[in-house]
Amino acid sequence: MDERGTGWRPMQWTGDALILLDQTLLPREERYLECRTTAEVAAAIREMRIRGAPAIGIAAVAGLALALRGSASTGGDWKQVLDDATRLLESTRPTAVDLFHGLKRARERVVDVAEAEEAARVLSQFVVELLERQWQIDQAIAEHGAGLLPRGVRVLTHCNTGALGTGAYGTALGIVRRAYELGHLTHVWVTETRPRLQGARLTTWELRRLAIPHTMIVDGAAAWLMARGEIEAVVVGADRVAANGDVANKVGTLALAVAADRFRIPFYVAAPLSSFDPGAPEGSAIPIEERDPAEVLRLGEAWIGSAETPVWNPAFDVTPGSLITALVTECGVVPSPDRAKIVALLRASSTAGEVGVRETERDER
Ligand code: MRU
């Protein structure tokens, strides 16, 4: 049992293994996967056994820690091992910037360290810190976001942004949790989230465990639900927030934002500072992952289309900042996000010593 009362632990760090609840098997089976090498962590991220921007950011750092641990026991050039492990982990998934920030910050921590043993110890401690810090981040986002929602609110959410996506309390789903705890939220509508079904498989699993009333819809039903006046807010997560407030998130997010705008429903994006990328001037600069066509052509084990059917399978899309009512971060709410407000947010947060990204930070490696 998780000490924080969720009843499950999406991600645990033992110092020599990263233990993950395998999200590809949910909700059928709750099986934990032990990753003891960098290659195993990289495979788990690539295969989406662990997923969600903050969660893969932390997992990647654990992958580096495992590389150094291995290097400390075998000897050799640990800085080379660190570079190779970084490259492998960076190649897993391109869109969520948390992964790149996590690796960069981890490397900064060991830049002045001389011995492999010491570097391994520093990074292991960093994983512990990140897991702990994510709870604080998620809870601050939840508090800020819940404050935006009216009493009796019915919310629509997309993909999975809960404990499974962060390793802690959840971002957009954390807002849902907090609003429900406060007695403000009456119902959650959950999109199934084709093709990987994170809404259907993971978000409903979390909501059921949390005993929060919810109903699942197919992605195509969302606009109709809005037209019927059944929801008062849309709350989603983010994989990368560009400098001008454009947001890359799970494919289907843009369609929800367009529909919400049409029906004048507030559209909130929950994003920790680790998901901000000031190096991407606008959404078009964000790399969008394209995945295997088989994800679209198969539903579970069953093929729903011929394997020869041409398929385009972008895993994410970009919603312009102009369609976003507010970004909700651990440092507060940014209404109608734009470049100036994001610069101000990142400046204020770096002055306050927040662990997100610095305004000038770019992925330069
Ligand atoms: O492909 P996934 O499942 O990793 O995509 C996840 C999302 O798009 C989430 O909305 C985002 O990472 C935030 S998770 C707190």
Side-chain angles (χ1 to χ4, degrees):
M1 168 69 79
D2 176 50
E3 66 282 9
R4 283 166 162 121
T6 57
W8 73 90
R9 286 182 172 190
M11 189 164 30
Q12 294 165 70
W13 173 242
T14 64
D16 56 10
L18 181 68
I19 301 174
L20 306 171
L21 181 53
D22 186 340
Q23 298 187 29
T24 62
L25 302 178
L26 290 172
R28 267 179 301 123
E29 196 183 334
E30 291 172 30
R31 195 196 297 168
Y32 286 85
L33 175 72
E34 260 187 44
C35 300
R36 294 191 170 272
T37 64
T38 312
E40 286 169 359
V41 173
I45 295 173
R46 189 173 278 120
E47 293 162 12
M48 296 175 67
R49 297 183 190 281
I50 177 89
R51 42 140 304 282
I56 64 174
I58 299 170
V61 175
L64 278 194
L66 290 172
L68 292 192
R69 197 182 152 77
S71 173
S73 57
T74 57
D77 181 354
W78 69 268
K79 299 230 166 169
Q80 185 60 49
V81 170
L82 185 69
D83 284 349
D84 293 345
T86 305
R87 259 188 294 278
L88 176 65
L89 291 158
E90 281 180 341
S91 73
T92 53
R93 298 194 71 190
T95 302
V97 76
D98 308 54
L99 184 142
F100 300 90
H101 286 324
L103 292 171
K104 186 166 188 284
R105 291 174 59 211
R107 294 173 61 88
E108 284 167 4
R109 291 248 167 160
V110 293
V111 78
D112 293 326
V113 174
E115 302 291 333
E117 287 79 8
E118 174 62 3
R121 196 196 57 72
V122 167
L123 285 198
S124 178
Q125 184 52 35
F126 190 37
V127 179
V128 174
E129 259 177 55
L130 287 173
L131 282 167
E132 185 55 37
R133 174 75 186 134
Q134 195 63 45
W135 275 94
Q136 297 161 3
I137 291 170
D138 286 5
Q139 280 172 334
I141 289 174
E143 210 60 53
H144 291 307
L148 296 169
L149 301 176
R151 279 173 187 273
V153 69
R154 295 163 299 174
V155 162
L156 174 80
T157 192
H158 187 52
C159 194
N160 173 267
T161 58
L164 293 170
T166 72
Y169 185 77
T171 57
L173 208 65
I175 294 175
V176 163
R177 279 174 80 166
R178 184 67 189 131
Y180 187 69
E181 277 169 17
L182 293 169
H184 295 175
L185 178 139
T186 56
H187 203 81
V188 190
W189 294 93
V190 181
T191 55
E192 64 174 348
T193 318
R194 283 278 289 149
R196 295 291 298 230
L197 305 176
Q198 290 94 328
R201 295 188 303 103
L202 308 177
T203 300
T204 59
W205 184 82
E206 288 200 37
L207 290 171
R208 197 165 49 252
R209 288 184 159 233
L210 295 165
I212 299 179
H214 59 280
T215 305
M216 188 176 100
I217 55 170
V218 297
D219 298 343
W224 179 227
L225 190 70
M226 294 183 200
R228 285 165 48 107
E230 308 260 5
I231 61 173
E232 285 77 35
V234 179
V235 187
V236 298
D239 286 83
R240 201 184 282 229
V241 182
N244 69 343
D246 295 349
V247 170
N249 189 49
K250 181 51 54 193
V251 68
T253 302
L254 173 60
L256 295 176
V258 169
D261 183 54
R262 169 69 181 74
F263 295 108
R264 303 199 190 295
I265 294 167
F267 188 89
Y268 298 115
V269 175
L273 295 187
S274 59
S275 303
F276 281 67
D277 182 7
E282 55 189 30
S284 60
I286 299 175
I288 298 294
E289 178 180 13
E290 296 187 10
R291 294 186 63 90
D292 187 346
E295 290 185 345
V296 176
L297 289 169
R298 270 196 339 220
L299 208 46
E301 293 309 304
W303 285 83
I304 56 168
S306 146
E308 279 79 53
T309 306
V311 167
W312 178 50
N313 182 20
F316 301 95
D317 60 25
V318 175
T319 298
S322 57
L323 291 180
I324 296 169
T325 309
L327 293 172
V328 186
T329 78
E330 65 270 37
C331 293
V333 173
V334 184
S336 308
D338 62 19
R339 203 175 298 277
K341 289 178 189 170
I342 287 178
V343 167
L345 171 81
L346 297 180
R347 264 200 196 128
S349 66
S350 67
T351 310
E354 290 297 335
V355 293
V357 287
R358 287 182 293 278
E359 188 198 332
T360 51
E361 187 169 292
R362 302 181 73 97
D363 296 316
E364 274 159 358
R365 250 180 39 80

